[in-house]
Amino acid sequence: MVAMAATFKVSVRKCVEGKDKVEANARGLRMIMDEPKESDGDNEGMNPVEALLSALGGCQVIGAVGIAREMGFAYEECHIEIEGDFDPDVRPGMKEIRYALHFMTDEPQERVDELAERVAKLCPVALTPEKGVKLVRSTAVKD
């Protein structure tokens, strides 16, 4: 998780090949996003909603690993399962996102709950929509 104030920057461009495929770039790393074939895409990457859920899951698991280390919490495996409801005919955007952190551990349930609660309070990706971050669009730029 981010330990200090920072500005994150990502650029996203339409790929030359593919119908809806885009490439996101940050820090020299890239990620392809696309739509599934049933949505007229080429199915060569997650769609943006799946990428959003993946960012949330990645943040939660990375946070859990770091907090577990701080707590001396022993585990063999950690993963998250996330699902969200999206119905553009009813409401644009996600209506609800549900997740469960899973730990393969011999730790008592109270410690598992404590770890999960600490992660929920510190994950910046989860806190962003929860806190109602302001989304600011600048003017469209003609290059």
Side-chain angles (χ1 to χ4, degrees):
M1 283 190 274
V2 180
M4 65 184 92
T7 298
F8 292 87
K9 295 183 180 183
V10 175
S11 66
V12 181
R13 295 183 180 275
K14 166 75 174 81
C15 294
V16 175
E17 73 284 347
K19 298 173 191 160
D20 294 327
K21 189 166 49 170
V22 298
E23 178 181 295
N25 290 281
R27 299 181 296 113
L29 304 169
R30 65 182 220 126
M31 176 176 71
I32 298 295
M33 288 180 276
D34 196 2
E35 290 293 330
K37 291 187 186 278
E38 58 270 13
S39 294
D40 201 32
D42 295 319
N43 200 37
E44 293 183 8
M46 291 183 208
N47 71 31
V49 174
E50 293 162 337
L52 174 73
L53 294 176
S54 295
L56 171 60
C59 187
Q60 294 271 328
V61 172
I62 288 169
V65 168
I67 293 169
R69 192 177 310 116
E70 289 174 9
M71 291 175 61
F73 184 98
Y75 65 94
E76 291 179 43
E77 197 266 339
C78 171
H79 73 275
I80 190 167
E81 293 179 2
I82 305 176
E83 63 182 13
D85 300 324
F86 181 81
D87 185 348
D89 295 330
V90 175
R91 176 185 179 267
M94 300 295 284
K95 177 182 173 189
E96 181 177 271
I97 297 172
R98 296 168 299 283
Y99 68 94
L101 271 169
H102 296 256
F103 298 94
M104 186 179 297
T105 184
D106 291 329
E107 296 278 354
Q109 185 63 46
E110 296 80 31
R111 296 248 305 153
V112 174
D113 293 340
E114 177 188 353
L115 174 56
E117 190 62 35
R118 287 182 63 187
V119 171
K121 289 180 180 176
L122 295 174
C123 173
V125 176
L127 293 173
T128 297
E130 184 178 297
K131 301 293 183 189
V133 69
K134 185 176 182 180
L135 182 62
V136 180
R137 180 183 62 86
S138 65
T139 59
V141 178
K142 179 180 174 183
D143 289 329

